[in-house]
Amino acid sequence: MKRALVTGVTGQDGAYLSQLLLGKGYEVFGMLRRSSSGDVIDERLRWLGIAGQVTMVDGNLLDLSSLLRIVQEVRPDEVYNLAAQSFVKSSWNQPLLTGQVTALGAGNMLEAVRLTAPNARFYQASSSEMYGLIQEPIQSEKTPFYPRSPYAVAKLYAHWMTINYRESFGLHASSGILFNHESPLRGIEFVTRKVTDAVARIKLGLASELKLGNIDAKRDWGHARDYVHAMWLMLQQDKPDDYVVATGRTTSVRDMCRIAFDHVGLNYEEFVKVDAAYLRPAEVDILLGDSTKARTTLGWDPATSLEDLIREMVDADLARHRKRAR
Ligand code: NDP
Ligand code: GDP
């Protein structure tokens, strides 16, 4: 039985990845940072019905000693480093913490693997945000980076450290440059989930408007369930490498709102208000990924359309709010 260690196990991707690995017969260990909300922290794992099947280990990306201990104890075959301060907007409010967790935290994890399990395969959660002020209209592994937020700067450090540890120490370390991916388990502060949650509340008479920032921003949105499959495929290759994971279709926040409101028979224009509070000091206007390499080398294919993704999210938020109302 293969053993996988997943950091960020309580997040969106950690939950879907754990589900995938358990389905493939892995023993899954999730790193849990100490929290005062221990009774609800595994909500996403519970949503997928797998909470009891993941073995939790106590640690924090900021504490190298905890990572060394965990890697020694777990003896993983595969390590997926998904933990991060992952919200771009917060990275301007907490720029140094974002650097410590998202950048140096990945360095800590690489060190723990190099020192205690150098034969383990390592996955780093890199991000399309690294392209930022895009240097090419369609971004591939060869496109130069131009980060536009403290989050993206931190991810760039982690990305290059992963490549450096591969080249310096021969680690089987791969980096997935994943474009935005969403699901009913997406954090509520991200724009898709903020929209689908608001659509559900408006439909049920619990809210009357939705305040957003730059609704002309465009993203290449896919489903998290499809994207964690690409992570796993990367670690099954003989050679470690870097891969863009994207759908190849970009859509504005405005059109994503249209899809979400249409699903419940409402017109988004009547409810969406632009509020400057949600604008960012520097914006990533548009992202569009070229995942040819992942498709040809890994045989990966995104199965879910944006319309199906958004409808699934709206339906899940409707169900959540109906349940709360009962
Ligand atoms: P989430 O924000 O849902 O999850 C982040 C996870 O990191 C949580 O489990 C959180 O724990 C954990 N974490 C935060 N700080 C620490 C710390 N100091 N020590 C240990 N764990 C910590 O992110 P996603 O699941 O959406 O994304 C997974 C990864 O992929 C992230 O690195 C993200 O930046 C990256 N990424 C995501 C994309 C997306 O569109 N979703 C696109 C490209 C990259 P807790 O529950 O305790 O807060
Ligand atoms: P990001 O790509 O990781 O920053 O993912 P987000 O979902 O947070 O944001 C995607 C895009 O939506 C960005 O260009 C935001 O500026 C834009 N956006 C517009 N209004 C909002 C909002 O109210 N909240 C968030 N999170 N993003 C918004």
Side-chain angles (χ1 to χ4, degrees), residues 10-21:
T10 53
Q12 169 188 260
D13 291 6
Y16 282 106
L17 178 66
S18 297
Q19 184 182 48
L20 177 97
L21 294 171

Side-chain angles (χ1 to χ4, degrees), residues 8-13 31 33 41 60-62 82-84 86 101 125-127 151 155 178-182 186:
V9 73
T10 53
Q12 169 188 260
D13 291 6
M31 190 178 84
R33 62 170 166 165
I41 195 86
N60 194 306
L61 274 197
L62 297 176
L82 310 185
S86 69
V101 177
S126 287
S127 165
Y151 167 79
K155 280 287 180 189
L178 270 54
F179 282 60
N180 297 52
H181 46 280
E182 323 292 312
R186 184 60 143 152

Side-chain angles (χ1 to χ4, degrees), residues 20-308:
L20 177 97
L21 294 171
L22 288 165
K24 291 187 180 297
Y26 279 67
E27 193 173 358
V28 180
F29 296 83
M31 190 178 84
L32 189 64
R33 62 170 166 165
R34 199 271 147 187
S35 155
S36 63
S37 311
D39 53 339
V40 290
I41 195 86
D42 62 350
E43 192 195 323
R44 292 189 173 95
L45 297 169
R46 276 190 272 136
W47 176 278
L48 296 179
I50 54 169
Q53 299 170 54
V54 176
T55 305
M56 293 299 186
V57 288
D58 185 19
N60 194 306
L61 274 197
L62 297 176
D63 184 340
L64 176 59
S65 67
S66 71
L67 304 182
L68 289 165
R69 176 183 47 75
I70 287 171
V71 176
Q72 256 165 359
E73 281 173 12
V74 170
R75 288 177 287 104
D77 299 291
E78 296 173 8
V79 177
Y80 295 86
N81 185 41
L82 310 185
Q85 191 303 93
S86 69
F87 187 43
V88 170
K89 182 110 193 306
S90 288
S91 76
W92 280 284
N93 300 330
Q94 303 181 34
L96 303 180
L97 177 95
T98 302
Q100 283 163 353
V101 177
T102 305
L104 293 178
N108 285 338
M109 199 68 228
L110 280 162
E111 270 296 87
V113 170
R114 177 178 80 85
L115 293 169
T116 55
N119 293 323
R121 297 184 171 194
F122 180 87
Y123 173 84
Q124 170 59 25
S126 287
S127 165
S128 57
E129 289 292 317
M130 300 187 306
Y131 296 117
L133 189 63
I134 53 167
Q135 303 294 295
E136 290 178 335
I138 305 178
Q139 299 88 51
S140 74
E141 296 80 5
K142 293 193 166 58
T143 304
F145 299 117
Y146 193 129
R148 291 273 278 175
S149 62
Y151 167 79
V153 173
K155 280 287 180 189
L156 209 46
Y157 173 91
H159 180 68
W160 281 110
M161 280 294 273
T162 303
I163 294 170
N164 183 263
Y165 270 50
R166 178 164 82 216
E167 295 176 353
S168 305
F169 304 115
L171 287 195
H172 191 296
S174 293
S175 180
I177 308 172
L178 270 54
F179 282 60
N180 297 52
H181 46 280
E182 323 292 312
S183 73
L185 301 183
R186 184 60 143 152
I188 195 108
E189 65 276 32
F190 292 89
V191 73
T192 53
R193 182 73 202 293
K194 182 174 170 182
V195 168
T196 61
D197 177 71
V199 165
R201 285 186 293 115
I202 291 169
K203 181 68 183 173
L204 298 175
L206 302 169
S208 55
E209 63 174 18
L210 166 60
K211 290 182 180 167
L212 295 175
N214 175 16
I215 58 174
D216 294 317
K218 291 181 155 185
R219 288 293 181 276
D220 179 333
W221 279 296
H223 198 305
R225 197 190 305 113
D226 296 339
Y227 283 39
V228 299
H229 186 222
M231 298 175 186
W232 176 78
L233 285 170
M234 284 176 219
L235 297 204
Q236 309 317 306
Q237 305 305 305
D238 290 339
K239 280 174 59 183
D241 207 340
D242 309 315
Y243 297 90
V244 160
V245 177
T247 69
R249 168 184 171 193
T250 193
T251 306
S252 65
V253 171
R254 181 193 301 276
D255 285 338
M256 182 268 293
C257 286
R258 195 193 317 270
I259 295 168
F261 280 87
D262 275 359
H263 182 50
V264 295
L266 297 175
N267 177 1
Y268 83 98
E269 287 170 313
E270 291 173 27
F271 302 98
V272 172
K273 309 272 181 292
V274 172
D275 183 337
Y278 296 104
L279 298 176
R280 295 171 176 193
E283 178 62 291
V284 174
D285 293 318
I286 178 167
L287 291 171
L288 175 58
D290 173 3
S291 59
T292 305
K293 184 174 166 185
R295 289 172 200 246
T296 52
T297 311
L298 305 178
W300 177 79
D301 206 22
T304 317
S305 71
L306 179 63
E307 285 74 11
D308 285 346

